[in-house]
Amino acid sequence: EVQLVESGGGLVRAGGSLRLSCRYSGFTFHEQALGWFRQAPGKGPEGVACISWLYDNTFYLDSVAGRFSISVDEVRNMVHLEMNNLRPEDTARYYCASGEDRCRGSYFYVGMEHGASGTQVTVPS
């Protein structure tokens, strides 16, 4: 059974940093890609970052490229999202996702399983 549990969100000033974490179980990183998507109130989901070991590819949303970084700790079965220089428009609930073999562009999260709760990131304007 696939399980994904997110943590690490919070309230941070513009320009600040946060590190999101997701503990995964029921599969290995060598089998499935891992990613993060977000959803802000009143908006649809948006793929933020994705990483695939099988196809050795990554994806970043244009607006976060150069500010966010996705990484995987295979020993601890964790996927992290380092977020730097945060902006008010990054405010959203962030979800960890898995289930495909590669990162298929900006809609990579479609069809993937994701954490039930997500973790809230708030950057006041």
Side-chain angles (χ1 to χ4, degrees):
E1 179 188 4
V2 171
Q3 289 193 330
L4 302 157
V5 181
E6 305 94 340
S7 62
L11 189 150
V12 62
R13 291 183 177 180
S17 298
L18 275 176
R19 186 194 199 204
L20 304 185
S21 298
C22 171
R23 183 176 300 280
Y24 62 88
S25 61
F27 64 95
T28 72
F29 178 47
H30 290 203
E31 297 170 323
Q32 296 184 8
L34 285 158
W36 292 88
F37 69 94
R38 66 189 182 187
Q39 187 159 18
K43 296 186 177 180
E46 182 176 53
V48 175
C50 178
I51 185 168
S52 167
W53 180 88
L54 271 170
Y55 284 83
D56 191 26
N57 75 320
T58 57
F59 165 84
Y60 289 98
L61 181 68
D62 284 349
S63 64
V64 309
R67 299 188 297 124
F68 290 11
S69 178
I70 187 170
S71 62
V72 179
D73 180 343
E74 293 185 64
V75 174
R76 295 176 177 80
N77 281 10
M78 302 279 286
V79 55
H80 303 289
L81 185 68
E82 296 279 356
M83 305 187 297
N84 299 309
N85 192 20
L86 282 159
R87 304 168 181 170
E89 53 263 39
D90 295 319
T91 295
R93 182 161 291 273
Y94 285 69
Y95 296 87
C96 175
S98 73
E100 293 287 330
D101 56 4
R102 74 192 79 177
C103 302
R104 300 174 185 268
S106 59
Y107 293 99
F108 66 83
Y109 55 90
V110 176
M112 281 188 168
E113 296 194 55
H114 60 81
S117 302
T119 186
Q120 178 68 34
V121 173
T122 302
V123 187
S125 55

